[in-house]
Amino acid sequence: QVQFVESGGGLVQAGGSLRLSCVVSGSTFSTDDMTWYRQAPGKQREWVARITSSGLTIYADSIHADSAKGRFIISRDNTKNTVYLQMNRLVPEDTAVYHCNSPTRPGPWGQGTQVTVSS
Protein backbone atom coordinates (compact mmCIF):
# COMPACT_ATOMS: atom_id res chain seq x y z
CA GLN A 1 0.00 0.00 0.00
CA VAL A 2 1.23 3.46 -0.82
CA GLN A 3 2.49 5.48 2.13
CA PHE A 4 3.44 9.14 2.41
CA VAL A 5 5.78 10.48 5.11
CA GLU A 6 6.15 14.24 5.30
CA SER A 7 8.86 16.18 7.14
CA GLY A 8 10.64 19.50 7.22
CA GLY A 9 8.07 21.74 8.84
CA GLY A 10 8.68 23.97 11.80
CA LEU A 11 8.32 27.42 13.29
CA VAL A 12 9.73 30.23 11.19
CA GLN A 13 9.48 33.99 11.17
CA ALA A 14 7.71 35.79 8.36
CA GLY A 15 10.05 36.15 5.41
CA GLY A 16 11.84 32.92 6.19
CA SER A 17 12.11 29.71 4.21
CA LEU A 18 11.44 26.02 4.70
CA ARG A 19 11.94 22.95 2.56
CA LEU A 20 9.39 20.20 2.98
CA SER A 21 10.04 16.60 1.98
CA CYS A 22 7.69 13.71 1.32
CA VAL A 23 9.01 10.19 1.00
CA VAL A 24 6.73 7.81 -0.85
CA SER A 25 6.76 4.05 -0.51
CA GLY A 26 4.65 1.26 -1.94
CA SER A 27 4.17 2.78 -5.37
CA THR A 28 5.84 3.24 -8.71
CA PHE A 29 6.80 6.75 -7.73
CA SER A 30 8.41 7.80 -10.98
CA THR A 31 5.19 7.23 -12.94
CA ASP A 32 2.93 9.09 -10.51
CA ASP A 33 1.97 12.73 -10.34
CA MET A 34 2.46 14.21 -6.87
CA THR A 35 0.69 17.07 -5.13
CA TRP A 36 1.30 19.09 -2.00
CA TYR A 37 -1.75 20.13 0.00
CA ARG A 38 -2.22 22.21 3.09
CA GLN A 39 -4.90 22.59 5.73
CA ALA A 40 -5.00 25.70 7.85
CA PRO A 41 -6.81 25.73 11.20
CA GLY A 42 -10.57 25.81 10.67
CA LYS A 43 -10.27 25.55 6.89
CA GLN A 44 -10.62 22.83 4.31
CA ARG A 45 -7.61 21.15 2.81
CA GLU A 46 -6.46 22.88 -0.39
CA TRP A 47 -3.96 21.90 -3.01
CA VAL A 48 -0.84 23.97 -3.31
CA ALA A 49 1.37 22.57 -6.04
CA ARG A 50 1.50 19.59 -8.35
CA ILE A 51 4.29 17.95 -10.29
CA THR A 52 3.61 15.45 -13.04
CA SER A 53 5.58 12.29 -13.67
CA SER A 54 7.37 14.13 -16.48
CA GLY A 55 8.29 17.06 -14.25
CA LEU A 56 5.70 19.63 -15.32
CA THR A 57 4.82 21.88 -12.37
CA ILE A 58 1.45 23.48 -11.66
CA TYR A 59 0.60 25.84 -8.83
CA ALA A 60 -2.69 26.85 -7.27
CA ASP A 61 -3.89 30.32 -8.20
CA SER A 62 -3.47 31.44 -4.61
CA ILE A 63 0.21 30.50 -4.80
CA HIS A 64 0.93 31.54 -8.35
CA ALA A 65 -0.27 35.11 -8.08
CA ASP A 66 2.09 37.59 -9.71
CA SER A 67 3.34 38.80 -6.41
CA ALA A 68 4.00 35.26 -5.22
CA LYS A 69 5.72 33.74 -8.26
CA GLY A 70 8.62 31.70 -7.21
CA ARG A 71 7.61 31.74 -3.61
CA PHE A 72 6.80 28.02 -3.65
CA ILE A 73 8.73 25.55 -5.79
CA ILE A 74 7.80 21.90 -6.12
CA SER A 75 10.36 19.35 -7.29
CA ARG A 76 10.98 15.63 -7.21
CA ASP A 77 13.84 13.17 -7.00
CA ASN A 78 12.79 9.85 -8.49
CA THR A 79 15.97 8.18 -7.26
CA LYS A 80 14.86 8.90 -3.70
CA ASN A 81 11.09 8.50 -4.16
CA THR A 82 10.80 11.99 -2.71
CA VAL A 83 8.89 15.13 -3.59
CA TYR A 84 9.91 18.51 -2.18
CA LEU A 85 8.27 21.85 -1.57
CA GLN A 86 10.63 24.78 -1.23
CA MET A 87 8.80 27.64 0.45
CA ASN A 88 10.29 31.13 0.44
CA ARG A 89 9.17 34.52 1.78
CA LEU A 90 6.74 32.81 4.10
CA VAL A 91 3.82 34.75 5.52
CA PRO A 92 1.57 33.96 8.51
CA GLU A 93 -1.19 32.88 6.11
CA ASP A 94 1.01 29.96 5.09
CA THR A 95 0.56 28.45 8.55
CA ALA A 96 -0.97 25.01 8.04
CA VAL A 97 -0.37 21.29 8.13
CA TYR A 98 1.17 20.30 4.82
CA HIS A 99 0.49 16.90 3.25
CA CYS A 100 1.51 15.19 0.07
CA ASN A 101 -0.49 12.67 -1.93
CA SER A 102 -0.73 11.40 -5.47
CA PRO A 103 -3.70 12.46 -7.61
CA THR A 104 -2.95 9.59 -9.99
CA ARG A 105 -2.37 6.94 -7.33
CA PRO A 106 -3.97 8.26 -4.15
CA GLY A 107 -3.30 6.69 -0.79
CA PRO A 108 -4.07 7.20 2.88
CA TRP A 109 -3.12 10.63 4.18
CA GLY A 110 0.04 10.76 6.22
CA GLN A 111 0.46 12.76 9.41
CA GLY A 112 1.64 15.78 7.53
CA THR A 113 4.14 18.34 8.70
CA GLN A 114 3.23 21.47 10.63
CA VAL A 115 4.37 24.82 9.30
CA THR A 116 3.92 27.80 11.59
CA VAL A 117 4.87 31.29 10.43
CA SER A 118 5.08 33.97 13.07
CA SER A 119 4.62 37.65 12.28
Side-chain angles (χ1 to χ4, degrees), residues 4-11 18-23 36-40 45 83-85 87 94-100 109-116:
F4 307 104
V5 179
E6 302 93 344
S7 63
L11 174 62
L18 285 172
R19 189 194 194 202
L20 308 184
S21 300
C22 171
V23 179
W36 278 100
Y37 302 81
R38 67 184 181 185
Q39 186 166 18
R45 184 180 291 128
V83 60
Y84 303 98
L85 186 67
M87 304 188 297
D94 294 322
T95 294
V97 178
Y98 286 71
H99 295 265
C100 69
W109 294 97
Q111 290 190 332
T113 187
Q114 175 71 49
V115 172
T116 303

Side-chain angles (χ1 to χ4, degrees), residues 35-99:
T35 298
W36 278 100
Y37 302 81
R38 67 184 181 185
Q39 186 166 18
K43 295 187 177 181
Q44 289 189 332
R45 184 180 291 128
E46 63 175 354
W47 77 279
V48 172
R50 175 171 176 166
I51 186 166
T52 68
S53 58
S54 60
L56 176 67
T57 58
I58 310 162
Y59 297 91
D61 288 344
S62 60
I63 301 298
H64 205 245
D66 287 343
S67 61
K69 280 183 179 178
R71 212 164 61 81
F72 285 17
I73 302 171
I74 188 171
S75 62
R76 65 191 298 159
D77 185 341
N78 290 340
T79 67
K80 297 181 179 179
N81 280 16
T82 301
V83 60
Y84 303 98
L85 186 67
Q86 176 69 43
M87 304 188 297
N88 304 313
R89 304 194 303 278
L90 286 162
V91 298
E93 291 73 24
D94 294 322
T95 294
V97 178
Y98 286 71
H99 295 265

